[in-house]
């Protein structure tokens, strides 16, 4: 019978009081505190660097899900079937509520505080790809999907909507790429590499826990070396899509971050370009192209409909929010 890694707990110097399954993991209440046991799917080499990052943050006073070594000093333990598991510190709290502006700004504040300490000696294997290469590839993919639909003929709502909107979004994509090439991006990227700046990689509301008046951050598995504005952009975009690109909220988020960790003019320009790029549009198009086209998800079609409905607000956000530096 599958024990969800329960047997591996014997390999740790802990006194387990109770366990409960949660989201594909095992939450363990022990005399030494709260821990979470998860099946491990990464590489141990990167895990060791991740632990180094988490220990740095913990020493700086940040609440993070650092790993707990087993009795042999290893971060990975295997059950009787050879399945690898990791044990991490966990927190009694709730996820960031995207309906709460207080939670949103607390999350931005926490990100800025963490970014101050998120630095490691550069490991080239864990460098994020160049944004210029990403935008170029995405623009090519948007054109390829347009050609594909034109050739076969648009037969569903998604395909018809895509052909009706793709030119305007491609224009935005091409403009963002052109501005990126003319910007300080290469210098920012080089500086980030020299300083060993690290990004969380998946900083969103699900990975930010409100622990009374404190905040904890989890799920650093997607970390990498990059310009840290990538984290801020990802979090802001996820939130602002839910708020129809509210300029006031966007500026509050930027101001909150800037008060703790100053956003330089070059970083400000980089953020503006990121918000100009039609990333969500590309994601929906890519999902369509990489999945079964005999049956197009109505959910995906509705997402495209909602996205195009927000187009004017999205365009206004970039010009109004980033019109002046810093605010």
């Amino acid at each position: 019978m599958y024990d969800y890694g329960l047997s591996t707990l014997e390999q740790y110097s802990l006194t387990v009081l109770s366990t409960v399954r949660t989201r594909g993991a095992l939450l363990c209440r022990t005399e030494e505190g709260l821990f979470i046991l998860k099946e491990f799917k990464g590489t141990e080499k990167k895990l060791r660097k991740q632990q180094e990052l988490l220990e740095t943050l913990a020493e700086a006073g940040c609440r993070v899900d650092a790993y707990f070594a087993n009795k042999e000093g290893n971060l990975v333990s295997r059950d009787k079937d050879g399945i690898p598991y990791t044990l991490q510190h966990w927190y009694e709290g709730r996820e960031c509520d995207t309906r709460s502006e207080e939670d949103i700004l607390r999350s931005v504040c926490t990100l800025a505080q963490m970014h101050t300490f998120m630095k490691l000696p550069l490991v080239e294997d864990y460098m994020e790809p160049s944004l210029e290469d990403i935008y170029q590839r995405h623009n090519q993919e948007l054109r390829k999907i347009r050609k594909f639909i034109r050739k076969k003929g648009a037969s569903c709502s998604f395909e018809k909507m895509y052909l009706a909107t793709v030119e305007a979004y491609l224009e935005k994509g091409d403009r963002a790429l052109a501005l990126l090439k003319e910007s300080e991006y290469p210098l920012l990227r080089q500086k980030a590499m020299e300083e060993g700046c690290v990004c969380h990689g998946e900083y969103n509301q699900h990975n930010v826990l409100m622990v009374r008046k404190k905040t904890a951050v989890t799920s650093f598995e997607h970390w990498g070396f990059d310009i840290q504005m990538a984290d801020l952009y990802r979090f802001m975009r996820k939130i602002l899509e839910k708020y129809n690109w509210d300029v006031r909220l966007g500026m509050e988020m930027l101001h909150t971050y800037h008060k703790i960790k100053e956003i330089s003019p070059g970083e400000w320009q980089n953020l503006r370009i990121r918000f100009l790029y039609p990333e969500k549009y590309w994601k929906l198009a890519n999902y369509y192209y990489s999945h079964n086209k005999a049956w197009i998800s109505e959910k995906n079609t509705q997402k495209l409909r909602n996205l195009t409905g927000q187009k004017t607000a999205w365009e206004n956000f970039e010009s109004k929010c980033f019109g002046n530096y810093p605010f």
Side-chain angles (χ1 to χ4, degrees):
M1 184 177 177
Y2 193 47
D3 68 1
Y4 302 98
L6 186 62
S7 61
T8 62
L9 291 175
E10 297 170 2
Q11 300 175 39
Y12 296 90
S13 300
L14 292 172
T15 305
V16 181
L17 303 174
S18 65
T19 61
V20 60
R21 283 184 59 195
T22 173
R23 287 192 187 178
L26 202 66
L27 193 63
C28 309
R29 200 171 296 278
T30 77
E31 287 186 355
E32 293 79 7
L34 201 60
F35 293 86
I36 195 161
L37 186 74
K38 297 179 184 176
E39 186 175 335
F40 178 62
K41 297 178 181 178
T43 67
E44 292 191 44
K45 182 183 175 184
K46 189 175 184 183
L47 179 66
R48 286 191 291 272
K49 294 301 292 183
Q50 184 179 331
Q51 178 71 342
E52 188 180 332
L53 173 66
L54 294 172
E55 287 175 347
T56 299
L57 288 170
E59 287 168 10
C62 302
R63 286 169 171 75
V64 292
D65 56 347
Y67 293 88
F68 191 79
N70 62 24
K71 293 173 185 175
E72 295 180 356
N74 299 320
L75 299 179
V76 177
S77 301
R78 286 175 168 76
D79 68 4
K80 59 184 184 298
D81 297 315
I83 299 172
Y85 288 89
T86 57
L87 190 68
Q88 293 168 271
H89 291 273
W90 205 246
Y91 301 89
E92 204 85 72
R94 58 174 178 80
E95 289 184 0
C96 165
D97 184 355
T98 57
R99 297 165 299 180
S100 164
E101 188 168 324
E102 181 184 349
D103 276 15
I104 291 167
L105 297 181
R106 270 179 66 184
S107 300
V108 172
C109 178
T110 299
L111 180 63
Q113 290 168 340
M114 282 201 322
H115 276 171
T116 306
F117 305 104
M118 287 178 70
K119 292 182 179 181
L120 288 174
L122 178 66
V123 180
E124 291 193 7
D125 289 349
Y126 308 137
M127 280 176 57
E128 292 299 317
S130 160
L131 192 60
E132 187 176 322
D133 292 344
I134 290 171
Y135 283 177
Q136 193 151 341
R137 187 175 70 251
H138 287 181
N139 289 349
Q140 289 170 350
E141 288 164 355
L142 289 174
R143 288 184 167 87
K144 182 171 72 175
I145 295 167
R146 178 184 62 185
K147 182 179 180 181
F148 170 80
I149 296 175
R150 281 177 175 173
K151 186 175 180 180
K152 81 174 200 65
S155 58
C156 67
S157 297
F158 183 94
E159 293 169 343
K160 290 172 184 175
M161 209 182 313
Y162 183 84
L163 290 184
T165 57
V166 66
E167 302 304 332
Y169 283 101
L170 256 176
E171 184 182 333
K172 291 286 186 185
D174 287 338
R175 181 169 169 241
L177 178 57
L179 288 172
L180 188 68
K181 288 179 177 179
E182 296 167 5
S183 74
E184 295 179 22
Y185 175 67
L187 295 176
L188 284 176
R189 182 170 162 81
Q190 182 61 33
K191 184 172 182 286
M193 298 307 111
E194 288 172 358
E195 295 180 0
C197 294
V198 174
C199 281
H200 180 283
E202 203 171 65
Y203 193 83
N204 58 46
Q205 67 270 25
H206 304 298
N207 298 329
V208 182
L209 300 178
M210 302 298 159
V211 186
R212 300 181 189 87
K213 293 186 178 181
K214 304 293 183 178
T215 311
V217 181
T218 67
S219 306
F220 284 77
E221 290 83 1
H222 297 277
W223 73 273
F225 294 95
D226 202 358
I227 298 168
Q228 291 176 329
M229 289 302 98
D231 271 343
L232 180 58
Y233 161 72
R234 270 188 289 262
F235 183 76
M236 288 182 66
R237 181 179 68 80
K238 289 277 189 180
I239 297 296
L240 290 164
E241 283 172 357
K242 300 177 185 295
Y243 282 82
N244 195 32
W245 297 96
D246 185 296
V247 174
R248 182 201 60 79
L249 177 59
M251 293 186 78
E252 280 291 328
M253 294 166 80
L254 288 168
H255 183 65
T256 298
Y257 187 97
H258 185 74
K259 278 193 301 185
I260 296 164
K261 189 173 187 294
E262 184 178 332
I263 301 171
S264 72
E267 289 173 329
W268 186 267
Q269 182 188 33
N270 186 255
L271 269 177
R272 183 172 192 167
I273 292 168
R274 288 175 190 270
F275 279 107
L276 175 65
Y277 192 83
E279 184 178 348
K280 185 66 177 288
Y281 188 84
W282 168 81
K283 283 187 174 182
L284 292 174
N286 184 61
Y287 182 88
Y288 153 81
Y289 193 70
S290 58
H291 285 71
N292 181 9
K293 298 168 196 62
W295 180 81
I296 309 300
S297 163
E298 177 55 37
K299 186 177 179 181
N300 213 40
T301 303
Q302 187 57 49
K303 283 182 178 179
L304 181 58
R305 193 174 290 116
N306 293 342
L307 185 70
T308 54
Q310 286 189 330
K311 186 171 181 291
T312 301
W314 167 62
E315 289 173 332
N316 289 339
F317 176 83
E318 176 262 326
S319 58
K320 289 180 180 178
C321 206
F322 294 94
N324 297 304
Y325 172 79
F327 300 100

